[in-house]
Amino acid sequence: MLLTVEECLAAIDLHTRGLAAAAETDLEARIEHCPGWSMADLVWHVIGVHRFWNGVATDLPVDEPAEVSEDDRPADDQLTTELVRGMETLVATLRSADQDAACWTWGLDQDVRFITRHQVQEAAVHHWDAVNAGTGADRWTIDPEVARDAVDEILTHSLPNRRWPSADTGGLGGTVWFRCTGTGTGAPDAWHVVDGEVPGTLAHRSYRAGEEPVVLGPAVGAEVDPATLLLWLYERVGEPGPWQGESAVLDRFLAIAG
């Protein structure tokens, strides 16, 4: 976790309020990368996410709890108000929680800290969705340090790992590297993704940019700003390249990560 807890909570607050502001421009707008969703549906989804994870951080269940019921959906004219209210409740819960307290999560880390960290990218990516559907994503920004932490979290938890092996891919058979531009001096801001110990899984190593080891064998990679890399990993934007290296390795990476 590259951000402090308070930095994570500030980012959750910032991007949720940004999502609410963008949504208020047109609740009927269609969400490009969430097929079938309107802006109102997007806001309701994030309300449900906040309610769900607030319950997990409060009750600390061992097993996965039930999702929020659709019957609880507010009227459209109350959605953005409820969104901000729910975010404030979640942030308060996470601020007062023991970050090391054990609880169910879908990630490899089974603790409240995982919730705090992952909710940053949940808010940031859906903020982008809302801006993209409204005023245009070219006006959307994210702090590079926040995006860098989100990328590191995706590589740790969201790409296929030992919980979700990807069968019949034949493995990566090389290295995919990413090197971020425009970040601070702290590590990591470069990553090497390789085959995991379990067939059909991926693993990664983190480095300070410019200090990563020389890659031996087939490899492909790109130097890219962390916000663009984050959005590419979430399939919101096109190629983050230009790619350097062997395209076949990238094709295998996409097959496994997909």
Side-chain angles (χ1 to χ4, degrees):
M1 188 164 168
L2 310 180
L3 301 176
T4 66
V5 170
E6 281 301 319
E7 287 170 336
C8 286
L9 299 181
I12 294 168
D13 185 292
L14 173 70
H15 288 293
T16 303
R17 293 184 191 278
L19 192 167
E24 287 175 350
T25 64
D26 184 3
L27 284 170
E28 298 300 319
R30 310 314 293 176
I31 305 303
E32 179 181 1
H33 297 92
C34 301
W37 281 14
S38 67
M39 187 83 81
D41 295 329
L42 175 66
V43 174
W44 168 239
H45 165 74
V46 180
I47 290 171
V49 168
H50 290 164
R51 290 181 181 178
F52 178 85
W53 288 108
N54 184 70
V56 174
T58 300
D59 299 334
L60 304 178
V62 175
D63 299 317
E64 181 178 3
E67 297 285 348
V68 174
S69 172
E70 184 71 22
D71 294 338
D72 296 332
R73 179 168 175 161
D76 282 2
D77 62 358
Q78 294 298 312
L79 280 170
T80 57
T81 299
E82 183 62 25
L83 173 65
V84 173
R85 182 184 296 118
M87 175 274 294
E88 291 173 340
T89 299
L90 174 62
V91 165
T93 296
L94 295 174
R95 178 172 284 120
S96 63
D98 175 3
Q99 295 292 310
D100 296 320
C103 62
W104 174 88
T105 76
W106 56 261
L108 299 180
D109 295 338
Q110 301 285 293
D111 53 30
V112 172
R113 194 177 307 277
F114 172 84
I115 301 173
T116 302
R117 190 183 194 193
H118 186 69
Q119 287 310 298
V120 173
Q121 61 184 272
E122 185 84 38
V125 172
H126 286 318
H127 181 188
W128 185 91
D129 285 331
V131 173
N132 184 55
T135 57
D138 58 325
R139 298 178 56 185
W140 182 88
T141 59
I142 181 173
D143 181 87
E145 300 304 313
V146 171
R148 183 176 64 145
D149 183 75
V151 168
D152 192 73
E153 200 258 17
I154 290 172
L155 295 178
T156 301
H157 296 281
S158 297
L159 287 183
N161 52 49
R162 65 177 178 268
R163 287 179 178 266
W164 305 295
S166 179
D168 302 324
T169 63
L172 186 60
T175 300
V176 177
W177 57 266
F178 304 108
R179 189 176 303 125
C180 284
T181 60
T183 63
T185 57
D189 46 13
W191 301 270
H192 289 189
V193 180
V194 296
D195 282 307
E197 294 182 2
V198 177
T201 68
L202 298 173
H204 79 281
R205 298 291 182 270
S206 305
Y207 304 97
R208 189 188 302 273
E211 297 182 358
E212 66 266 38
V214 174
V215 177
L216 300 177
V220 67
E223 297 186 0
V224 60
D225 73 90
T228 300
L229 179 54
L230 169 63
L231 293 170
W232 178 74
L233 288 169
Y234 265 100
E235 301 181 328
R236 262 45 178 193
V237 299
E239 298 292 336
W243 293 103
Q244 305 173 38
E246 300 191 24
S247 60
V249 178
L250 177 62
D251 292 339
R252 292 195 293 270
F253 170 79
L254 295 173
I256 299 171

